[in-house]
Each structure stands twice: as structure tokens, then as C-alpha cells.
Amino acid sequence: QRAQAELIPLEPPPLMSRRFTEDDATYEALLDEAEETLAIIRTLDPPGIGAYSLKECLLLQLTPDLPYAMLVSELVEHHLDDIMKNRLPAVARAAGHSVEQIKEALSTLALLSPRPGAEVGSSETSYIVPDVVVREIDGEYLVTVEDQYIPSLSVSQTYLDYASDRKLDDSTRDFVRKNIESARWLQEAIEQRRFTLQRVAQEIVNHQKSFLDEGLVGLRPLKMQEIADRVGVHVSTVSRAVSEKYIETPRGIFPLKYFFRGGAQTASGEEESTELVKERVKQLVEEEDPAQPLSDEAIATRLSKESGVEIARRTVTKYRKALGIPSSRQRRKY
């Protein structure tokens, strides 16, 4: 067994909690065998596998030779929730140590992995093949549909001959003709879908030309209904056309849905895209004083004063969470 047993003895919950129909002896034998197997698994690399919980996973990785090992084991066992919420003064008081000692112990805790199995797992790389490509020609951005990867459909000449073969009986020729009509309808539907995608993508590019010229700062608010009105189709048609479709631009590859953004009102009455406002929130957080991080209310005030963006505190909270940014309390550095 690993040396972590010298730190804190682990008492895992029962491995099997469901009721068995077998007799007690059979159940006990199965349980003993399972626990013996699990004990062997826990001795394997990487350390931490076979744990019942995050807490136990971290404890399994602790060894006495690590700095502050005993303090780290105490923090994991009794104060993990407060640590995750960055309540270091409260942890220090409860553990009977200074905040500096707690911070030193957390530097050791940071060496442990909450998902040790991920280090040896394999993941398959996925590649995005853009459905449409934007090219700049003489200062204009033109869209082309990339359909070279899609096999072309055609009606077999053999069946076309069958349809006009007078040697065949009338019912057979009618059957062939109906199926040829269905095949041609499918061809036309595919071509219409391709044409719709190109028109929708071109209108999106026309609307977001400033983004292609300037980058994120030029991204404009856009609703699907606006594109539907310009193309002359129902908004549901636009939604289906852009669903799971990607566009290659001089600024990179993006989902087509990326360009449909809401906006925030500025003091001048204009609108800024949601994505740009999120970027401004992220920038303010990156530039803040770690000892005195900005609250969501303070971020909203700064956005109003510095960028003219009128935005509510709750909207800042929503954007912050979408960006994966912790609260001001959790961001504070002691």
C-alpha cells in the first residue's frame, strides 16, 4: 500500500450498496473480492486511480516526502470546500495556521491531479472541414460553398433507358419514371440547399465585414430574422442552414452561428456585440488588482465609464460565468 496510509487512514463507504438476492455468504465473498481488486488497482500508476471521491483521489497521491504533507492532508480531509471557494482566512482560523502557511500547503496541493487517469488516456483529434470559405477579392469578401467533399448525385443511364424502353410493360416503365422523378427532386433539393447556404453565408459576411477587417472589435450584433428578411426565407430556414456549419475566414474558422449575437446599448445609442462586451469584461478582470478584485457591480460601472456600455450587474455576472471567470471572492489573492 502507498505511504498515504501513514497520513490519514481511509475508510471508504461500502463498495456495493444495492440489495442482493444471493445469500449473505455469496455477497460477502463478492464484496471481499471486489475490495481486494480495488486495493490492487490503487497501488498502480498513476497515483489516485480507484478512488471513491475527489477527496480520496487527492489523499491517495500524498506521500510523506511532499512539503507540508500532513497539513495538506488535513486541508483536503476537512477544508476542501472552503479552499475551492477561496476562503483562506476562514481555513487558517479553523486549521490553526497562518494564511501564509495555508498558501504554502496549497502550493503542494496544486501538484496533485483531480483526474489522474486523464494523463494516460488517449483522445482522438477532430478536424473541422469548413462548409463555406470567404475570400477577399478586390476589397470585397466573397463566399463559396466547399462541396468538393460531397459526392455528386446522378441518375443511372441504365434506368433512364428503362424509362423509354417500349419493350417493358407500362407498369414497370411507370415505376422507373416515378423513381427517376424522386431522384431528380432530391438533386434539386440538394442544389437549393447549397444555394440557400451560400446566400445566407454571403449576407452574414456582408453584415460582419467590419469583423473581417478589424477583428473582434468590429463584430456587430445580428439576429437570424435580419438575414431571413434579406434572403427572403423563413427564419427557420436560416437556422437550419447555419446549424453545425463552419466558415473559413481570414480571421480563422468559426461556426456560422458565431456571428449571430445580441448586443448591449452604448451611451450614444449604438449597440456593441455580446462577444465584444464579454471580451471587455475579461480584459478588466485581467487588469484588476488581485488583492482587491472587481465586483460585478464595479465591472458594470467601469464598462459604462470607459466604454459607454450600459449593462446591468446581473448581465455582467452571466457573462463572467460564461467565460469561466470565478467571483471576486474566489479571485482574491491573499
Side-chain angles (χ1 to χ4, degrees), residues 88-125:
L88 300 195
V91 172
R93 289 193 298 270
H97 295 273
S98 67
V99 172
E100 287 303 316
Q101 288 175 316
I102 298 298
K103 290 169 64 177
E104 291 290 340
L106 292 183
S107 64
T108 296
L109 180 60
L111 301 176
L112 309 182
S113 173
R115 292 180 290 273
E119 299 174 9
V120 295
S122 59
S123 58
E124 190 173 319
T125 303

mmCIF file of all heavy atoms in Angstrom, residues 88-125:
data_model
loop_
_atom_site.group_PDB
_atom_site.id
_atom_site.type_symbol
_atom_site.label_atom_id
_atom_site.label_comp_id
_atom_site.label_asym_id
_atom_site.label_seq_id
_atom_site.Cartn_x
_atom_site.Cartn_y
_atom_site.Cartn_z
ATOM 1 N N LEU A 88 -9.589 31.464 2.397
ATOM 2 C CA LEU A 88 -8.334 31.139 3.084
ATOM 3 C C LEU A 88 -8.277 31.634 4.528
ATOM 4 O O LEU A 88 -7.796 30.907 5.404
ATOM 5 C CB LEU A 88 -7.148 31.680 2.287
ATOM 6 C CG LEU A 88 -6.986 31.137 0.857
ATOM 7 C CD1 LEU A 88 -5.598 31.456 0.332
ATOM 8 C CD2 LEU A 88 -7.232 29.634 0.815
ATOM 9 N N PRO A 89 -8.741 32.858 4.835
ATOM 10 C CA PRO A 89 -8.717 33.267 6.256
ATOM 11 C C PRO A 89 -9.541 32.335 7.144
ATOM 12 O O PRO A 89 -9.113 31.999 8.260
ATOM 13 C CB PRO A 89 -9.312 34.677 6.211
ATOM 14 C CG PRO A 89 -9.019 35.168 4.833
ATOM 15 C CD PRO A 89 -9.154 33.972 3.962
ATOM 16 N N ALA A 90 -10.706 31.921 6.669
ATOM 17 C CA ALA A 90 -11.536 31.003 7.454
ATOM 18 C C ALA A 90 -10.841 29.651 7.619
ATOM 19 O O ALA A 90 -10.885 29.040 8.694
ATOM 20 C CB ALA A 90 -12.893 30.816 6.783
ATOM 21 N N VAL A 91 -10.186 29.184 6.571
ATOM 22 C CA VAL A 91 -9.441 27.915 6.649
ATOM 23 C C VAL A 91 -8.301 28.037 7.646
ATOM 24 O O VAL A 91 -8.058 27.130 8.460
ATOM 25 C CB VAL A 91 -8.901 27.524 5.262
ATOM 26 C CG1 VAL A 91 -7.968 26.314 5.367
ATOM 27 C CG2 VAL A 91 -10.043 27.221 4.309
ATOM 28 N N ALA A 92 -7.589 29.175 7.604
ATOM 29 C CA ALA A 92 -6.459 29.384 8.507
ATOM 30 C C ALA A 92 -6.915 29.365 9.963
ATOM 31 O O ALA A 92 -6.271 28.746 10.824
ATOM 32 C CB ALA A 92 -5.768 30.705 8.169
ATOM 33 N N ARG A 93 -8.029 30.037 10.247
ATOM 34 C CA ARG A 93 -8.535 30.053 11.626
ATOM 35 C C ARG A 93 -8.944 28.658 12.077
ATOM 36 O O ARG A 93 -8.637 28.234 13.191
ATOM 37 C CB ARG A 93 -9.729 31.012 11.726
ATOM 38 C CG ARG A 93 -9.364 32.479 11.617
ATOM 39 C CD ARG A 93 -10.535 33.356 12.047
ATOM 40 N NE ARG A 93 -11.693 33.149 11.175
ATOM 41 C CZ ARG A 93 -11.923 33.844 10.062
ATOM 42 N NH1 ARG A 93 -11.057 34.777 9.676
ATOM 43 N NH2 ARG A 93 -12.987 33.612 9.329
ATOM 44 N N ALA A 94 -9.657 27.934 11.216
ATOM 45 C CA ALA A 94 -10.137 26.602 11.585
ATOM 46 C C ALA A 94 -8.995 25.610 11.749
ATOM 47 O O ALA A 94 -9.035 24.731 12.618
ATOM 48 C CB ALA A 94 -11.128 26.099 10.540
ATOM 49 N N ALA A 95 -7.957 25.742 10.929
ATOM 50 C CA ALA A 95 -6.841 24.789 10.979
ATOM 51 C C ALA A 95 -5.777 25.192 11.988
ATOM 52 O O ALA A 95 -4.891 24.384 12.302
ATOM 53 C CB ALA A 95 -6.211 24.667 9.592
ATOM 54 N N GLY A 96 -5.849 26.403 12.506
ATOM 55 C CA GLY A 96 -4.870 26.847 13.486
ATOM 56 C C GLY A 96 -3.524 27.189 12.871
ATOM 57 O O GLY A 96 -2.484 27.031 13.508
ATOM 58 N N HIS A 97 -3.522 27.689 11.635
ATOM 59 C CA HIS A 97 -2.284 28.070 10.951
ATOM 60 C C HIS A 97 -2.457 29.462 10.368
ATOM 61 O O HIS A 97 -3.572 29.975 10.259
ATOM 62 C CB HIS A 97 -1.949 27.076 9.832
ATOM 63 C CG HIS A 97 -1.634 25.700 10.317
ATOM 64 N ND1 HIS A 97 -0.362 25.305 10.706
ATOM 65 C CD2 HIS A 97 -2.421 24.606 10.471
ATOM 66 C CE1 HIS A 97 -0.387 24.038 11.066
ATOM 67 N NE2 HIS A 97 -1.628 23.586 10.948
ATOM 68 N N SER A 98 -1.333 30.058 9.981
ATOM 69 C CA SER A 98 -1.401 31.374 9.351
ATOM 70 C C SER A 98 -1.816 31.228 7.889
ATOM 71 O O SER A 98 -1.722 30.147 7.298
ATOM 72 C CB SER A 98 -0.033 32.063 9.424
ATOM 73 O OG SER A 98 0.912 31.363 8.613
ATOM 74 N N VAL A 99 -2.280 32.347 7.307
ATOM 75 C CA VAL A 99 -2.665 32.331 5.907
ATOM 76 C C VAL A 99 -1.464 31.973 5.029
ATOM 77 O O VAL A 99 -1.596 31.254 4.027
ATOM 78 C CB VAL A 99 -3.249 33.693 5.484
ATOM 79 C CG1 VAL A 99 -3.465 33.751 3.967
ATOM 80 C CG2 VAL A 99 -4.558 33.960 6.205
ATOM 81 N N GLU A 100 -0.272 32.453 5.414
ATOM 82 C CA GLU A 100 0.930 32.140 4.630
ATOM 83 C C GLU A 100 1.223 30.640 4.638
ATOM 84 O O GLU A 100 1.613 30.066 3.613
ATOM 85 C CB GLU A 100 2.126 32.917 5.188
ATOM 86 C CG GLU A 100 2.113 34.406 4.881
ATOM 87 C CD GLU A 100 2.051 34.673 3.378
ATOM 88 O OE1 GLU A 100 2.778 34.000 2.624
ATOM 89 O OE2 GLU A 100 1.268 35.550 2.963
ATOM 90 N N GLN A 101 1.050 29.991 5.807
ATOM 91 C CA GLN A 101 1.264 28.542 5.872
ATOM 92 C C GLN A 101 0.235 27.791 5.007
ATOM 93 O O GLN A 101 0.574 26.800 4.353
ATOM 94 C CB GLN A 101 1.180 28.071 7.326
ATOM 95 C CG GLN A 101 2.369 28.495 8.181
ATOM 96 C CD GLN A 101 2.196 28.128 9.645
ATOM 97 O OE1 GLN A 101 1.107 28.328 10.216
ATOM 98 N NE2 GLN A 101 3.238 27.597 10.255
ATOM 99 N N ILE A 102 -0.989 28.278 5.036
ATOM 100 C CA ILE A 102 -2.030 27.656 4.197
ATOM 101 C C ILE A 102 -1.662 27.802 2.732
ATOM 102 O O ILE A 102 -1.806 26.846 1.937
ATOM 103 C CB ILE A 102 -3.400 28.296 4.464
ATOM 104 C CG1 ILE A 102 -3.827 28.081 5.939
ATOM 105 C CG2 ILE A 102 -4.451 27.728 3.519
ATOM 106 C CD1 ILE A 102 -3.990 26.627 6.326
ATOM 107 N N LYS A 103 -1.174 28.965 2.328
ATOM 108 C CA LYS A 103 -0.785 29.177 0.935
ATOM 109 C C LYS A 103 0.364 28.269 0.529
ATOM 110 O O LYS A 103 0.415 27.750 -0.593
ATOM 111 C CB LYS A 103 -0.407 30.652 0.716
ATOM 112 C CG LYS A 103 -1.604 31.592 0.775
ATOM 113 C CD LYS A 103 -1.175 33.048 0.827
ATOM 114 C CE LYS A 103 -0.456 33.476 -0.421
ATOM 115 N NZ LYS A 103 -0.103 34.918 -0.378
ATOM 116 N N GLU A 104 1.316 28.056 1.446
ATOM 117 C CA GLU A 104 2.431 27.141 1.162
ATOM 118 C C GLU A 104 1.906 25.713 0.963
ATOM 119 O O GLU A 104 2.343 24.999 0.057
ATOM 120 C CB GLU A 104 3.441 27.179 2.308
ATOM 121 C CG GLU A 104 4.218 28.474 2.428
ATOM 122 C CD GLU A 104 5.201 28.651 1.289
ATOM 123 O OE1 GLU A 104 5.557 27.650 0.642
ATOM 124 O OE2 GLU A 104 5.603 29.808 1.026
ATOM 125 N N ALA A 105 0.954 25.321 1.809
ATOM 126 C CA ALA A 105 0.385 23.976 1.680
ATOM 127 C C ALA A 105 -0.386 23.835 0.371
ATOM 128 O O ALA A 105 -0.362 22.779 -0.270
ATOM 129 C CB ALA A 105 -0.518 23.677 2.875
ATOM 130 N N LEU A 106 -1.053 24.901 -0.022
ATOM 131 C CA LEU A 106 -1.831 24.852 -1.277
ATOM 132 C C LEU A 106 -0.920 24.738 -2.490
ATOM 133 O O LEU A 106 -1.337 24.205 -3.527
ATOM 134 C CB LEU A 106 -2.713 26.091 -1.390
ATOM 135 C CG LEU A 106 -3.856 26.188 -0.378
ATOM 136 C CD1 LEU A 106 -4.702 27.422 -0.646
ATOM 137 C CD2 LEU A 106 -4.729 24.941 -0.419
ATOM 138 N N SER A 107 0.316 25.227 -2.378
ATOM 139 C CA SER A 107 1.250 25.056 -3.490
ATOM 140 C C SER A 107 1.582 23.582 -3.687
ATOM 141 O O SER A 107 1.824 23.138 -4.819
ATOM 142 C CB SER A 107 2.527 25.857 -3.242
ATOM 143 O OG SER A 107 3.228 25.366 -2.109
ATOM 144 N N THR A 108 1.581 22.808 -2.596
ATOM 145 C CA THR A 108 1.760 21.354 -2.711
ATOM 146 C C THR A 108 0.497 20.705 -3.239
ATOM 147 O O THR A 108 0.544 19.820 -4.089
ATOM 148 C CB THR A 108 2.125 20.752 -1.339
ATOM 149 O OG1 THR A 108 3.386 21.275 -0.902
ATOM 150 C CG2 THR A 108 2.204 19.224 -1.417
ATOM 151 N N LEU A 109 -0.655 21.169 -2.754
ATOM 152 C CA LEU A 109 -1.932 20.620 -3.218
ATOM 153 C C LEU A 109 -2.086 20.804 -4.725
ATOM 154 O O LEU A 109 -2.651 19.952 -5.413
ATOM 155 C CB LEU A 109 -3.082 21.299 -2.475
ATOM 156 C CG LEU A 109 -4.504 20.839 -2.844
ATOM 157 C CD1 LEU A 109 -4.682 19.354 -2.567
ATOM 158 C CD2 LEU A 109 -5.536 21.649 -2.057
ATOM 159 N N ALA A 110 -1.554 21.919 -5.234
ATOM 160 C CA ALA A 110 -1.665 22.198 -6.671
ATOM 161 C C ALA A 110 -0.888 21.192 -7.515
ATOM 162 O O ALA A 110 -1.127 21.079 -8.721
ATOM 163 C CB ALA A 110 -1.168 23.613 -6.967
ATOM 164 N N LEU A 111 0.036 20.457 -6.895
ATOM 165 C CA LEU A 111 0.806 19.444 -7.630
ATOM 166 C C LEU A 111 0.007 18.164 -7.850
ATOM 167 O O LEU A 111 0.394 17.328 -8.674
ATOM 168 C CB LEU A 111 2.093 19.106 -6.853
ATOM 169 C CG LEU A 111 3.064 20.269 -6.589
ATOM 170 C CD1 LEU A 111 4.220 19.786 -5.722
ATOM 171 C CD2 LEU A 111 3.575 20.848 -7.902
ATOM 172 N N LEU A 112 -1.093 18.012 -7.115
ATOM 173 C CA LEU A 112 -1.902 16.800 -7.219
ATOM 174 C C LEU A 112 -2.930 16.955 -8.340
ATOM 175 O O LEU A 112 -3.349 18.066 -8.661
ATOM 176 C CB LEU A 112 -2.609 16.528 -5.893
ATOM 177 C CG LEU A 112 -1.710 16.536 -4.649
ATOM 178 C CD1 LEU A 112 -2.535 16.205 -3.415
ATOM 179 C CD2 LEU A 112 -0.550 15.568 -4.793
ATOM 180 N N SER A 113 -3.334 15.848 -8.909
ATOM 181 C CA SER A 113 -4.264 15.887 -10.042
ATOM 182 C C SER A 113 -5.640 15.388 -9.628
ATOM 183 O O SER A 113 -5.757 14.292 -9.067
ATOM 184 C CB SER A 113 -3.735 15.021 -11.190
ATOM 185 O OG SER A 113 -4.700 14.924 -12.218
ATOM 186 N N PRO A 114 -6.693 16.156 -9.913
ATOM 187 C CA PRO A 114 -8.050 15.681 -9.604
ATOM 188 C C PRO A 114 -8.524 14.612 -10.581
ATOM 189 O O PRO A 114 -9.476 13.904 -10.305
ATOM 190 C CB PRO A 114 -8.903 16.947 -9.719
ATOM 191 C CG PRO A 114 -8.159 17.803 -10.698
ATOM 192 C CD PRO A 114 -6.701 17.513 -10.464
ATOM 193 N N ARG A 115 -7.850 14.469 -11.723
ATOM 194 C CA ARG A 115 -8.207 13.460 -12.733
ATOM 195 C C ARG A 115 -6.943 12.745 -13.196
ATOM 196 O O ARG A 115 -6.467 12.954 -14.334
ATOM 197 C CB ARG A 115 -8.931 14.115 -13.914
ATOM 198 C CG ARG A 115 -10.310 14.646 -13.584
ATOM 199 C CD ARG A 115 -10.975 15.277 -14.793
ATOM 200 N NE ARG A 115 -10.320 16.521 -15.156
ATOM 201 C CZ ARG A 115 -10.620 17.713 -14.642
ATOM 202 N NH1 ARG A 115 -11.589 17.811 -13.743
ATOM 203 N NH2 ARG A 115 -9.972 18.778 -15.016
ATOM 204 N N PRO A 116 -6.359 11.935 -12.361
ATOM 205 C CA PRO A 116 -5.075 11.298 -12.719
ATOM 206 C C PRO A 116 -5.158 10.399 -13.943
ATOM 207 O O PRO A 116 -4.187 10.260 -14.678
ATOM 208 C CB PRO A 116 -4.717 10.502 -11.457
ATOM 209 C CG PRO A 116 -6.014 10.282 -10.751
ATOM 210 C CD PRO A 116 -6.825 11.501 -11.029
ATOM 211 N N GLY A 117 -6.315 9.786 -14.175
ATOM 212 C CA GLY A 117 -6.446 8.898 -15.326
ATOM 213 C C GLY A 117 -6.342 9.628 -16.654
ATOM 214 O O GLY A 117 -6.010 9.021 -17.680
ATOM 215 N N ALA A 118 -6.605 10.946 -16.650
ATOM 216 C CA ALA A 118 -6.562 11.714 -17.898
ATOM 217 C C ALA A 118 -5.152 11.795 -18.464
ATOM 218 O O ALA A 118 -4.958 12.009 -19.657
ATOM 219 C CB ALA A 118 -7.104 13.131 -17.658
ATOM 220 N N GLU A 119 -4.138 11.606 -17.588
ATOM 221 C CA GLU A 119 -2.755 11.712 -18.038
ATOM 222 C C GLU A 119 -2.374 10.570 -18.969
ATOM 223 O O GLU A 119 -1.473 10.703 -19.787
ATOM 224 C CB GLU A 119 -1.816 11.732 -16.822
ATOM 225 C CG GLU A 119 -2.065 12.899 -15.882
ATOM 226 C CD GLU A 119 -1.230 12.811 -14.621
ATOM 227 O OE1 GLU A 119 -0.339 11.936 -14.571
ATOM 228 O OE2 GLU A 119 -1.458 13.604 -13.695
ATOM 229 N N VAL A 120 -3.038 9.423 -18.830
ATOM 230 C CA VAL A 120 -2.681 8.267 -19.655
ATOM 231 C C VAL A 120 -3.760 7.952 -20.676
ATOM 232 O O VAL A 120 -3.624 7.021 -21.449
ATOM 233 C CB VAL A 120 -2.441 7.019 -18.767
ATOM 234 C CG1 VAL A 120 -1.238 7.229 -17.883
ATOM 235 C CG2 VAL A 120 -3.670 6.709 -17.914
ATOM 236 N N GLY A 121 -4.842 8.718 -20.658
ATOM 237 C CA GLY A 121 -5.917 8.479 -21.615
ATOM 238 C C GLY A 121 -5.536 9.011 -22.986
ATOM 239 O O GLY A 121 -4.644 9.850 -23.144
ATOM 240 N N SER A 122 -6.190 8.511 -23.984
ATOM 241 C CA SER A 122 -5.947 8.978 -25.346
ATOM 242 C C SER A 122 -7.216 9.627 -25.872
ATOM 243 O O SER A 122 -8.316 9.164 -25.597
ATOM 244 C CB SER A 122 -5.551 7.803 -26.258
ATOM 245 O OG SER A 122 -6.572 6.831 -26.277
ATOM 246 N N SER A 123 -7.051 10.687 -26.606
ATOM 247 C CA SER A 123 -8.196 11.374 -27.196
ATOM 248 C C SER A 123 -7.962 11.522 -28.696
ATOM 249 O O SER A 123 -6.843 11.783 -29.139
ATOM 250 C CB SER A 123 -8.395 12.759 -26.563
ATOM 251 O OG SER A 123 -7.234 13.539 -26.727
ATOM 252 N N GLU A 124 -9.012 11.367 -29.431
ATOM 253 C CA GLU A 124 -8.922 11.439 -30.884
ATOM 254 C C GLU A 124 -9.082 12.878 -31.339
ATOM 255 O O GLU A 124 -9.989 13.584 -30.897
ATOM 256 C CB GLU A 124 -10.014 10.571 -31.501
ATOM 257 C CG GLU A 124 -9.857 10.383 -33.003
ATOM 258 C CD GLU A 124 -10.858 9.373 -33.553
ATOM 259 O OE1 GLU A 124 -11.083 8.348 -32.887
ATOM 260 O OE2 GLU A 124 -11.418 9.637 -34.626
ATOM 261 N N THR A 125 -8.168 13.333 -32.157
ATOM 262 C CA THR A 125 -8.210 14.701 -32.658
ATOM 263 C C THR A 125 -9.275 14.832 -33.739
ATOM 264 O O THR A 125 -9.322 14.037 -34.668
ATOM 265 C CB THR A 125 -6.846 15.117 -33.234
ATOM 266 O OG1 THR A 125 -5.850 14.962 -32.221
ATOM 267 C CG2 THR A 125 -6.875 16.571 -33.696
#
